[in-house]
PDB file of all heavy atoms in Angstrom:
ATOM      1  N   MET B1572     106.334  24.394  -9.027  1.00 89.00           N
ATOM      2  CA  MET B1572     106.547  25.372  -7.965  1.00 89.00           C
ATOM      3  C   MET B1572     108.013  25.355  -7.532  1.00 89.00           C
ATOM      4  O   MET B1572     108.646  26.403  -7.387  1.00 89.00           O
ATOM      5  CB  MET B1572     105.660  24.990  -6.775  1.00 89.00           C
ATOM      6  CG  MET B1572     104.830  26.115  -6.212  1.00 89.00           C
ATOM      7  SD  MET B1572     103.893  25.484  -4.818  1.00 89.00           S
ATOM      8  CE  MET B1572     102.244  25.456  -5.484  1.00 89.00           C
ATOM      9  N   THR B1575     110.206  26.892 -10.112  1.00 88.00           N
ATOM     10  CA  THR B1575     110.076  28.344 -10.175  1.00 88.00           C
ATOM     11  C   THR B1575     110.823  28.999  -9.029  1.00 88.00           C
ATOM     12  O   THR B1575     111.498  30.011  -9.204  1.00 88.00           O
ATOM     13  CB  THR B1575     108.588  28.746 -10.129  1.00 88.00           C
ATOM     14  OG1 THR B1575     107.886  27.907 -11.039  1.00 88.00           O
ATOM     15  CG2 THR B1575     108.387  30.186 -10.501  1.00 88.00           C
ATOM     16  N   VAL B1576     110.691  28.419  -7.847  1.00 88.00           N
ATOM     17  CA  VAL B1576     111.279  29.044  -6.665  1.00 88.00           C
ATOM     18  C   VAL B1576     112.783  28.779  -6.579  1.00 88.00           C
ATOM     19  O   VAL B1576     113.565  29.679  -6.289  1.00 88.00           O
ATOM     20  CB  VAL B1576     110.565  28.543  -5.392  1.00 88.00           C
ATOM     21  CG1 VAL B1576     111.262  29.056  -4.143  1.00 88.00           C
ATOM     22  CG2 VAL B1576     109.118  28.988  -5.399  1.00 88.00           C
ATOM     23  N   VAL B1629     101.974  27.069   4.377  1.00 88.00           N
ATOM     24  CA  VAL B1629     102.679  28.185   5.015  1.00 88.00           C
ATOM     25  C   VAL B1629     102.984  27.875   6.484  1.00 88.00           C
ATOM     26  O   VAL B1629     103.764  28.578   7.118  1.00 88.00           O
ATOM     27  CB  VAL B1629     101.872  29.503   4.909  1.00 88.00           C
ATOM     28  CG1 VAL B1629     101.966  30.042   3.496  1.00 88.00           C
ATOM     29  CG2 VAL B1629     100.430  29.285   5.319  1.00 88.00           C
ATOM     30  N   VAL B1641     107.367  24.063   4.088  1.00 90.00           N
ATOM     31  CA  VAL B1641     108.418  24.326   3.110  1.00 90.00           C
ATOM     32  C   VAL B1641     108.859  25.790   3.164  1.00 90.00           C
ATOM     33  O   VAL B1641     109.987  26.119   2.831  1.00 90.00           O
ATOM     34  CB  VAL B1641     107.952  23.906   1.701  1.00 90.00           C
ATOM     35  CG1 VAL B1641     106.918  24.884   1.168  1.00 90.00           C
ATOM     36  CG2 VAL B1641     109.122  23.762   0.755  1.00 90.00           C
ATOM     37  N   THR B1642     107.971  26.661   3.636  1.00 90.00           N
ATOM     38  CA  THR B1642     108.327  28.080   3.704  1.00 90.00           C
ATOM     39  C   THR B1642     109.429  28.319   4.726  1.00 90.00           C
ATOM     40  O   THR B1642     110.104  29.342   4.684  1.00 90.00           O
ATOM     41  CB  THR B1642     107.100  28.931   4.063  1.00 90.00           C
ATOM     42  OG1 THR B1642     106.402  28.285   5.127  1.00 90.00           O
ATOM     43  CG2 THR B1642     106.175  29.102   2.889  1.00 90.00           C
ATOM     44  N   ASN B1645     112.456  27.966   2.403  1.00 89.00           N
ATOM     45  CA  ASN B1645     112.568  29.000   1.381  1.00 89.00           C
ATOM     46  C   ASN B1645     111.285  29.806   1.390  1.00 89.00           C
ATOM     47  O   ASN B1645     110.205  29.281   1.112  1.00 89.00           O
ATOM     48  CB  ASN B1645     112.777  28.352   0.011  1.00 89.00           C
ATOM     49  CG  ASN B1645     113.139  29.377  -1.034  1.00 89.00           C
ATOM     50  OD1 ASN B1645     112.719  30.535  -0.961  1.00 89.00           O
ATOM     51  ND2 ASN B1645     113.908  28.948  -2.026  1.00 89.00           N
ATOM     52  N   ASP B1646     111.415  31.067   1.701  1.00 88.00           N
ATOM     53  CA  ASP B1646     110.214  31.894   1.843  1.00 88.00           C
ATOM     54  C   ASP B1646     109.570  32.191   0.493  1.00 88.00           C
ATOM     55  O   ASP B1646     108.436  32.645   0.422  1.00 88.00           O
ATOM     56  CB  ASP B1646     110.561  33.187   2.578  1.00 88.00           C
ATOM     57  CG  ASP B1646     109.311  33.867   3.114  1.00 88.00           C
ATOM     58  OD1 ASP B1646     108.470  33.125   3.681  1.00 88.00           O
ATOM     59  OD2 ASP B1646     109.167  35.076   2.925  1.00 88.00           O
ATOM     60  N   GLY B1647     110.301  31.882  -0.582  1.00 86.00           N
ATOM     61  CA  GLY B1647     109.767  32.144  -1.915  1.00 86.00           C
ATOM     62  C   GLY B1647     108.456  31.427  -2.178  1.00 86.00           C
ATOM     63  O   GLY B1647     107.658  31.847  -3.022  1.00 86.00           O
ATOM     64  N   TYR B1648     108.207  30.339  -1.448  1.00 88.00           N
ATOM     65  CA  TYR B1648     106.988  29.555  -1.685  1.00 88.00           C
ATOM     66  C   TYR B1648     105.730  30.262  -1.214  1.00 88.00           C
ATOM     67  O   TYR B1648     104.636  29.915  -1.654  1.00 88.00           O
ATOM     68  CB  TYR B1648     107.092  28.204  -0.974  1.00 88.00           C
ATOM     69  CG  TYR B1648     108.013  27.233  -1.665  1.00 88.00           C
ATOM     70  CD1 TYR B1648     109.249  26.907  -1.128  1.00 88.00           C
ATOM     71  CD2 TYR B1648     107.625  26.629  -2.849  1.00 88.00           C
ATOM     72  CE1 TYR B1648     110.093  26.012  -1.756  1.00 88.00           C
ATOM     73  CE2 TYR B1648     108.463  25.733  -3.489  1.00 88.00           C
ATOM     74  CZ  TYR B1648     109.690  25.429  -2.944  1.00 88.00           C
ATOM     75  OH  TYR B1648     110.515  24.550  -3.570  1.00 88.00           O
ATOM     76  N   SER B1649     105.874  31.236  -0.316  1.00 85.00           N
ATOM     77  CA  SER B1649     104.651  31.825   0.241  1.00 85.00           C
ATOM     78  C   SER B1649     103.838  32.570  -0.821  1.00 85.00           C
ATOM     79  O   SER B1649     102.656  32.827  -0.633  1.00 85.00           O
ATOM     80  CB  SER B1649     104.993  32.724   1.434  1.00 85.00           C
ATOM     81  OG  SER B1649     106.180  33.427   1.203  1.00 85.00           O
ATOM     82  N   THR B1650     104.477  32.883  -1.961  1.00 83.00           N
ATOM     83  CA  THR B1650     103.711  33.505  -3.047  1.00 83.00           C
ATOM     84  C   THR B1650     102.625  32.556  -3.546  1.00 83.00           C
ATOM     85  O   THR B1650     101.555  32.978  -3.958  1.00 83.00           O
ATOM     86  CB  THR B1650     104.643  33.795  -4.259  1.00 83.00           C
ATOM     87  OG1 THR B1650     105.939  34.090  -3.770  1.00 83.00           O
ATOM     88  CG2 THR B1650     104.101  34.924  -5.098  1.00 83.00           C
ATOM     89  N   TYR B1651     102.951  31.242  -3.554  1.00 84.00           N
ATOM     90  CA  TYR B1651     102.036  30.282  -4.187  1.00 84.00           C
ATOM     91  C   TYR B1651     101.182  29.504  -3.188  1.00 84.00           C
ATOM     92  O   TYR B1651     100.250  28.831  -3.564  1.00 84.00           O
ATOM     93  CB  TYR B1651     102.851  29.287  -5.016  1.00 84.00           C
ATOM     94  CG  TYR B1651     103.678  29.960  -6.070  1.00 84.00           C
ATOM     95  CD1 TYR B1651     105.033  30.193  -5.880  1.00 84.00           C
ATOM     96  CD2 TYR B1651     103.074  30.384  -7.248  1.00 84.00           C
ATOM     97  CE1 TYR B1651     105.784  30.829  -6.841  1.00 84.00           C
ATOM     98  CE2 TYR B1651     103.823  31.024  -8.217  1.00 84.00           C
ATOM     99  CZ  TYR B1651     105.174  31.233  -8.018  1.00 84.00           C
ATOM    100  OH  TYR B1651     105.901  31.868  -8.969  1.00 84.00           O
ATOM    101  N   LEU B1652     101.559  29.563  -1.912  1.00 81.00           N
ATOM    102  CA  LEU B1652     100.854  28.749  -0.932  1.00 81.00           C
ATOM    103  C   LEU B1652      99.908  29.613  -0.111  1.00 81.00           C
ATOM    104  O   LEU B1652     100.126  30.810  -0.013  1.00 81.00           O
ATOM    105  CB  LEU B1652     101.874  28.049  -0.025  1.00 81.00           C
ATOM    106  CG  LEU B1652     102.808  27.067  -0.770  1.00 81.00           C
ATOM    107  CD1 LEU B1652     103.887  26.546   0.159  1.00 81.00           C
ATOM    108  CD2 LEU B1652     102.010  25.915  -1.371  1.00 81.00           C
ATOM    109  N   PRO B1653      98.908  29.076   0.532  1.00 84.00           N
ATOM    110  CA  PRO B1653      98.509  27.671   0.473  1.00 84.00           C
ATOM    111  C   PRO B1653      97.894  27.294  -0.881  1.00 84.00           C
ATOM    112  O   PRO B1653      97.180  28.079  -1.484  1.00 84.00           O
ATOM    113  CB  PRO B1653      97.473  27.549   1.586  1.00 84.00           C
ATOM    114  CG  PRO B1653      96.926  28.924   1.756  1.00 84.00           C
ATOM    115  CD  PRO B1653      98.022  29.861   1.388  1.00 84.00           C
ATOM    116  N   TRP B1654      98.214  26.092  -1.307  1.00 88.00           N
ATOM    117  CA  TRP B1654      97.654  25.563  -2.545  1.00 88.00           C
ATOM    118  C   TRP B1654      97.328  24.092  -2.281  1.00 88.00           C
ATOM    119  O   TRP B1654      98.018  23.443  -1.494  1.00 88.00           O
ATOM    120  CB  TRP B1654      98.676  25.665  -3.673  1.00 88.00           C
ATOM    121  CG  TRP B1654      98.189  25.088  -4.968  1.00 88.00           C
ATOM    122  CD1 TRP B1654      97.527  25.747  -5.945  1.00 88.00           C
ATOM    123  CD2 TRP B1654      98.313  23.739  -5.409  1.00 88.00           C
ATOM    124  NE1 TRP B1654      97.214  24.892  -6.967  1.00 88.00           N
ATOM    125  CE2 TRP B1654      97.679  23.651  -6.659  1.00 88.00           C
ATOM    126  CE3 TRP B1654      98.863  22.581  -4.850  1.00 88.00           C
ATOM    127  CZ2 TRP B1654      97.595  22.460  -7.382  1.00 88.00           C
ATOM    128  CZ3 TRP B1654      98.783  21.397  -5.563  1.00 88.00           C
ATOM    129  CH2 TRP B1654      98.153  21.348  -6.833  1.00 88.00           C
ATOM    130  N   LYS B1712      90.339  31.925  -8.420  1.00 86.00           N
ATOM    131  CA  LYS B1712      91.653  32.226  -7.874  1.00 86.00           C
ATOM    132  C   LYS B1712      92.581  31.013  -8.015  1.00 86.00           C
ATOM    133  O   LYS B1712      93.743  31.130  -8.404  1.00 86.00           O
ATOM    134  CB  LYS B1712      91.507  32.604  -6.392  1.00 86.00           C
ATOM    135  CG  LYS B1712      92.562  33.595  -5.944  1.00 86.00           C
ATOM    136  CD  LYS B1712      92.322  34.048  -4.523  1.00 86.00           C
ATOM    137  CE  LYS B1712      93.670  34.260  -3.830  1.00 86.00           C
ATOM    138  NZ  LYS B1712      93.571  34.215  -2.387  1.00 86.00           N
ATOM    139  N   GLY B1716      96.070  31.034 -10.333  1.00 85.00           N
ATOM    140  CA  GLY B1716      97.371  30.742  -9.744  1.00 85.00           C
ATOM    141  C   GLY B1716      98.021  29.536 -10.386  1.00 85.00           C
ATOM    142  O   GLY B1716      99.170  29.579 -10.837  1.00 85.00           O
ATOM    143  N   LEU B1720     101.199  29.334 -13.052  1.00 86.00           N
ATOM    144  CA  LEU B1720     102.386  28.640 -12.544  1.00 86.00           C
ATOM    145  C   LEU B1720     102.863  27.614 -13.571  1.00 86.00           C
ATOM    146  O   LEU B1720     104.051  27.538 -13.909  1.00 86.00           O
ATOM    147  CB  LEU B1720     102.027  27.940 -11.226  1.00 86.00           C
ATOM    148  CG  LEU B1720     103.161  27.210 -10.514  1.00 86.00           C
ATOM    149  CD1 LEU B1720     104.221  28.186 -10.045  1.00 86.00           C
ATOM    150  CD2 LEU B1720     102.629  26.422  -9.337  1.00 86.00           C
ATOM    151  N   PRO B1739      97.420  36.080 -11.910  1.00 75.00           N
ATOM    152  CA  PRO B1739      97.011  36.512 -10.559  1.00 75.00           C
ATOM    153  C   PRO B1739      97.590  37.890 -10.253  1.00 75.00           C
ATOM    154  O   PRO B1739      98.736  38.177 -10.606  1.00 75.00           O
ATOM    155  CB  PRO B1739      97.600  35.427  -9.647  1.00 75.00           C
ATOM    156  CG  PRO B1739      98.469  34.567 -10.494  1.00 75.00           C
ATOM    157  CD  PRO B1739      98.092  34.801 -11.909  1.00 75.00           C
TER     158      PRO B1739
END
Side-chain angles (χ1 to χ4, degrees):
Chain B
M1572 229 181 251
T1575 314
V1576 174
V1629 285
V1641 73
T1642 44
N1645 190 329
D1646 197 44
Y1648 285 108
S1649 38
T1650 328
Y1651 302 100
L1652 297 173
W1654 178 90
K1712 211 175 145 201
L1720 183 65

